[in-house]
Amino acid sequence: MQTAQRHSLKLLQWMMAASLALPLALFVFASVISWNSINQAADREIERTLDVAHEHALKVFETIDRSLSEIAEIIRSLPDDDIRSREDNLHQRLKQLTASLPQVKSAWVFDTRGHALVNSLVAPAPDIDFSDRSYFKAHAAGDVGTYIGEVLTPRPPYRGAPFFGVSRRRTTEEGDFAGVIQASVLPEYFENFYARIGREPGSFFALGRTDGAMLAGYPKADREFRLDPDGPVAQKLAAISDGGLITVTSPADGIERRLGYRQLAEYPIYVSAGLETSAIRARWLATMGQHLIFGVPATALLFLLLALALRRTRRLQEEAERRREAEEALKHGQRLEALGQLTGGVAHDFNNLLTVIRASIDMLRRPNLPEQRRLRYIDAISETVNRASKLTGQLLAFARRQTLKPELFDVGQSVQVLSEMIGTLVGPRIEIVTRLPDEACFINADAGQFETAIINMAVNARDAMDGAGRLTIAVRRAAELPVVDSHPPAPQGYVAVAVGDTGIGIPQDQLGRIFEPFFTTKQVGHGTGLGLSQVFGFAKQSGGEIVVVSEVGRGSTFTLYLPRTVATGPTLQFAAADAPPVDGSGMSVLVVEDNIEVGRFTADALAELGYAATLVENATRALDALAGDISFDVVFTDVAMPGMSGVELAQEIRRRYPDLPVVLTSGYSQVLAQRGSYGFDFLQKPYSIEQLSHVLHKVSRPKTTRTPTAASS
């Protein structure tokens, strides 16, 4: 009980720990899964926005390229003077063209000196030298195709937003340099577009040249920035030009971002898109925060409930412990009361028996006693001794302390032999019905105690029927016990012997006491109250159970369950009567008994039967006698003796004289009750001279000269 309570407390403590550890482990697991999932979702989002930004930039530059081609077509083969002469018309054409392109701020046509021939802004064009601009110098130096310049600010008298130039070279029919056609592109056009598609917190876009010059970006940089082409960031970006994502820290603002990078086909321009890693972490934290909103209260509530359960369980167990202590105190008092009742009952019955013996002895001492009365008193003493022996046997059986002698026998055969004896015992007015199985039902138990248990149940049934009715004895096999028992289950099942009657039955309030010693519902003088106690003790000590089913007015059924076994050797055969004493014929017996009166009686009785008996009072003298000149046929020793016990003496004799048989005897021995007779033959006290002669004759062997083994020398 206490172990179960400790286990329940430990279980609750483990559950409390698990209520914290398990959600924490699940939270960590979910965090890892969520982190990976959010990062993967962020990568997919970056790739989608990069696709959009790349497609947009490619279309913008292709449109600008077509516009430059259109301008080149308009002024093709026109000398500078013709262009100046037609400046107003060409100005309107360029103005219409730039008006249709929101990304283009203005369009220009320059001569070989870097002076504007015509533009889309004003006419006539101011006489300003633009030869120092990079978009002019690049074409003047050679044919570089479509050139994309750096971000510039307008030169007075022009004003407005910064721009970068997209230009082409003008050539003569001979292929010589004739000037430059240029379109001024607004970076803010790209920045506004990026602001529209980059609505997620931490979004980032950049448009730059392959040499590291930044053309447009979102969010807009506070200062102009050029990426070092040989720097670590540029090297990483160059490594993923065909696709892929990297995590880098920007040298412009020091912010760590997850970036994708892609170059425009046929243009020295790249587009990048990305998210700040802090924004990705913020998404993850927001997701985990939602889990915590629900998980933390639930976990706290579960932990609180388990803590309350633990506290309540401790309180209940403390109350149960106090109740158990009170019950133990009550049981102790009840045990003392039962012990007093048991002591009083034993004293009462033994005083009655001793009275008969004392009176018979007193009458035998009277002179001139007739032979008939002398024999009657002797028979009375013998019968009284048998009753006293039965009484002590019943007490030991109830206490489960009797020394059992297990034997293999068939229950059906035993019940069949007993039914004849029971018929005489219960009287002719009771019908006896026996129901035996077709197959043998073997058990390994004390046959004498089994017979006594069946007779006790039959006598109890007879008294319940007041001498008239039907007594049914049924033997069957049972797979298991009908009640929970402390013994381990029998592997072969059980043999059930049911003794039923048609008597008055047992009230329900008395069913729990019927196996108590000296408890009886019979009239005074009609029973000792130990019969059912013997059945209870025999069943428990044999590894079985006794079950009672009763209904007032309809009779009772007592079912004795004993472990079934398989017959693998010789079985016990039942006889109807005891054989007469066996003559000793000079057999030499060493009697070891510390009680002088009992020893003398045993030696004298054996001498009367023709045995040569030698009496010693302890184990030491017994070993000395065995080492002497006398050769003994058998040793008959008491178990409970001061110094070396009878069991120890028997084991020492077995070691020294392996072929010398030993018979043990005792009224009660806890060692024998717990462990058996250690393989030696055993005779229960009190015993008759007939029983003693039979057991000695059974174990004795022809007289030979016995020599001690080397161990005794």
Side-chain angles (χ1 to χ4, degrees):
M1 180 66 178
Q2 293 179 346
T3 302
Q5 291 177 351
R6 287 195 297 270
H7 287 170
S8 65
L9 285 177
K10 287 184 178 179
L11 178 60
L12 283 174
Q13 291 171 347
W14 277 106
M15 290 176 66
M16 288 180 63
S19 69
L20 296 178
L22 185 58
L24 180 60
L26 291 176
F27 180 76
V28 172
F29 178 75
S31 299
V32 174
I33 297 298
S34 177
W35 174 255
N36 293 332
S37 176
I38 288 176
N39 275 277
Q40 292 172 3
D43 287 350
R44 290 192 296 269
E45 180 181 337
I46 292 171
E47 289 175 347
R48 286 195 300 269
T49 55
L50 180 60
D51 290 339
V52 173
H54 176 269
E55 186 68 20
H56 172 262
L58 184 60
K59 288 183 178 180
V60 168
F61 282 100
E62 286 178 346
T63 301
I64 295 172
D65 222 1
R66 285 196 299 269
S67 299
L68 293 177
S69 298
E70 184 177 347
I71 295 172
E73 186 66 25
I74 292 172
I75 64 174
R76 187 176 60 176
S77 71
L78 290 177
D80 292 350
D81 293 337
D82 290 345
I83 293 175
R84 289 190 183 98
S85 64
R86 301 171 58 181
E87 181 179 1
D88 291 338
N89 186 28
L90 292 175
H91 167 71
Q92 293 299 325
R93 294 280 301 272
L94 293 179
K95 188 175 181 179
Q96 292 175 359
L97 178 64
T98 55
S100 65
L101 299 174
Q103 67 269 31
V104 177
K105 178 180 180 181
S106 60
W108 299 73
V109 178
F110 296 100
D111 60 14
T112 58
R113 296 178 298 117
H115 290 259
L117 296 174
V118 64
N119 65 61
S120 62
L121 296 177
V122 295
D127 188 15
I128 301 174
D129 185 8
F130 291 95
S131 62
D132 59 335
R133 295 291 197 183
S134 60
Y135 57 78
F136 184 85
K137 291 192 295 184
H139 292 294
D143 188 1
V144 295
T146 300
Y147 177 80
I148 300 174
E150 300 177 357
V151 176
L152 303 172
T153 56
R155 176 170 294 177
Y158 301 102
R159 293 175 296 179
F163 67 93
F164 64 87
V166 179
S167 58
R168 281 188 180 183
R169 183 177 183 177
R170 290 177 56 211
T171 60
T172 63
E173 292 182 356
E174 292 78 15
D176 297 330
F177 176 67
V180 174
I181 302 173
Q182 185 258 357
S184 297
V185 181
L186 295 169
E188 64 181 16
Y189 172 79
F190 292 93
E191 293 167 355
N192 293 335
F193 177 75
Y194 295 152
R196 290 198 302 272
I197 66 174
R199 297 178 179 178
E200 293 295 329
S203 295
F204 173 82
F205 296 92
L207 179 70
R209 299 195 312 184
T210 55
D211 62 354
M214 294 293 105
L215 303 179
Y218 176 82
K220 190 173 181 179
D222 297 334
R223 59 185 178 86
E224 292 186 5
F225 173 74
R226 176 184 290 271
L227 186 65
D228 184 5
D230 298 327
V233 176
Q235 295 295 328
K236 288 184 178 180
L237 290 173
I240 62 166
S241 59
D242 294 334
L245 301 173
I246 59 170
T247 301
V248 296
T249 300
S250 172
D253 53 17
I255 297 176
E256 185 182 69
R257 293 182 175 91
R258 183 75 169 165
L259 291 179
Y261 166 90
R262 196 171 301 166
Q263 185 173 351
L264 300 184
E266 301 179 358
Y267 296 99
I269 299 295
Y270 70 87
V271 177
S272 63
L275 286 172
E276 295 180 9
T277 55
S278 60
I280 299 175
R281 284 194 298 270
R283 295 182 185 181
W284 173 69
L285 292 175
T287 302
M288 298 315 300
Q290 294 176 358
H291 292 312
L292 290 176
I293 289 174
F294 296 99
V296 170
T299 301
L301 179 61
L302 178 59
F303 184 81
L304 179 61
L305 291 176
L306 289 173
L308 292 176
L310 178 63
R311 182 180 178 184
R312 179 63 176 168
T313 302
R314 281 176 175 167
R315 224 178 254 177
L316 291 175
Q317 290 187 0
E318 289 173 358
E319 294 177 1
E321 181 64 20
R322 289 194 294 270
R323 188 181 300 111
R324 187 186 64 81
E325 292 175 356
E327 290 176 353
E328 285 296 326
L330 177 62
K331 289 179 181 179
H332 181 66
Q334 291 174 341
R335 284 194 294 268
L336 292 178
E337 181 181 355
L339 182 60
Q341 181 182 2
L342 176 63
T343 305
V346 173
H348 175 269
D349 285 351
F350 265 98
N351 280 333
N352 289 338
L353 298 176
L354 292 175
T355 299
V356 174
I357 295 174
R358 178 66 180 267
S360 298
I361 292 174
D362 289 342
M363 294 302 297
L364 288 173
R365 286 175 175 171
R366 295 178 64 85
N368 303 321
L369 186 67
E371 181 65 17
Q372 183 178 1
R373 294 185 64 186
R374 186 180 70 83
L375 294 176
R376 189 176 70 184
Y377 292 141
I378 291 174
D379 291 340
I381 293 173
S382 177
E383 182 180 353
T384 303
V385 169
N386 289 334
R387 291 176 58 190
S389 175
K390 182 179 179 181
L391 179 61
T392 57
Q394 289 173 330
L395 286 172
L396 291 174
F398 173 76
R400 287 174 265 173
R401 292 295 187 270
Q402 78 270 37
T403 305
L404 298 181
K405 186 179 180 181
E407 295 176 289
L408 187 65
F409 64 91
D410 180 12
V411 174
Q413 181 187 0
S414 175
V415 170
Q416 187 174 13
V417 172
L418 283 174
S419 61
E420 302 176 2
M421 182 190 308
I422 292 173
T424 304
L425 184 65
V426 300
R429 297 175 58 202
I430 293 180
E431 177 188 2
I432 299 179
V433 178
T434 57
R435 296 171 183 168
L436 306 179
D438 296 334
E439 59 179 345
C441 295
F442 291 98
I443 64 173
N444 191 25
D446 190 305
Q449 290 291 331
F450 173 78
E451 293 175 351
T452 302
I454 301 300
I455 291 174
N456 282 336
M457 289 190 289
V459 170
N460 187 73
R462 176 200 65 186
D463 296 340
M465 293 184 290
D466 197 18
R470 181 186 300 109
L471 176 64
T472 303
I473 306 176
V475 180
R476 60 180 175 85
R477 292 175 56 178
E480 58 185 11
L481 294 177
V483 295
V484 178
D485 189 78
S486 59
H487 292 286
Q492 302 295 332
Y494 296 85
V495 177
V497 183
V499 179
D501 61 66
T502 57
I504 59 176
I506 305 172
Q508 293 297 318
D509 59 344
Q510 295 181 359
L511 277 176
R513 301 190 60 195
I514 59 175
F515 295 115
E516 295 179 7
F518 299 106
F519 175 80
T520 180
T521 58
K522 302 174 185 177
Q523 298 179 359
V524 178
H526 287 74
T528 64
L530 286 174
L532 293 181
S533 299
Q534 182 271 336
V535 179
F536 177 83
F538 168 68
K540 291 294 185 180
Q541 194 171 2
S542 300
E545 185 60 83
I546 178 72
V547 178
V548 184
V549 177
S550 182
E551 185 177 348
V552 176
R554 303 189 65 177
S556 306
T557 300
F558 289 76
T559 305
L560 176 63
Y561 291 87
L562 296 172
R564 179 176 172 270
T565 187
V566 178
T568 57
T571 59
L572 179 66
Q573 302 298 322
F574 295 92
D578 292 334
V582 179
D583 185 83
S585 302
M587 185 185 300
S588 178
V589 181
L590 177 61
V591 180
V592 187
E593 175 62 65
D594 62 322
N595 189 301
I596 299 301
E597 289 78 8
V598 175
R600 287 176 179 173
F601 162 77
T602 303
D604 292 344
L606 290 174
E608 287 293 329
L609 293 176
Y611 292 86
T614 301
L615 175 63
V616 295
E617 64 269 19
N618 56 52
T620 302
R621 295 196 175 183
L623 293 175
D624 293 340
L626 289 172
D629 296 334
I630 302 176
S631 179
F632 295 98
D633 297 293
V634 64
V635 177
F636 182 62
T637 177
D638 189 23
V639 172
M641 294 187 300
M644 182 184 292
S645 68
V647 173
E648 294 171 336
L649 172 62
Q651 291 174 334
E652 182 64 20
I653 293 174
R654 176 182 286 173
R655 187 177 67 86
R656 296 188 183 186
Y657 311 100
D659 57 343
L660 178 59
V662 178
V663 178
L664 302 177
T665 183
S666 178
Y668 165 69
S669 170
Q670 185 174 0
V671 175
L672 295 182
Q674 293 177 348
R675 301 184 181 180
S677 60
Y678 293 86
F680 298 101
D681 283 87
F682 176 78
L683 183 61
Q684 179 75 41
K685 288 183 179 179
Y687 49 80
S688 66
I689 192 63
E690 291 85 359
Q691 293 172 324
L692 177 59
S693 66
H694 279 292
V695 70
L696 293 179
H697 181 76
K698 170 187 170 185
V699 303
S700 64
R701 300 174 184 176
K703 184 179 294 186
T704 58
T705 301
R706 295 182 176 87
T707 303
T709 62
S712 63
S713 59

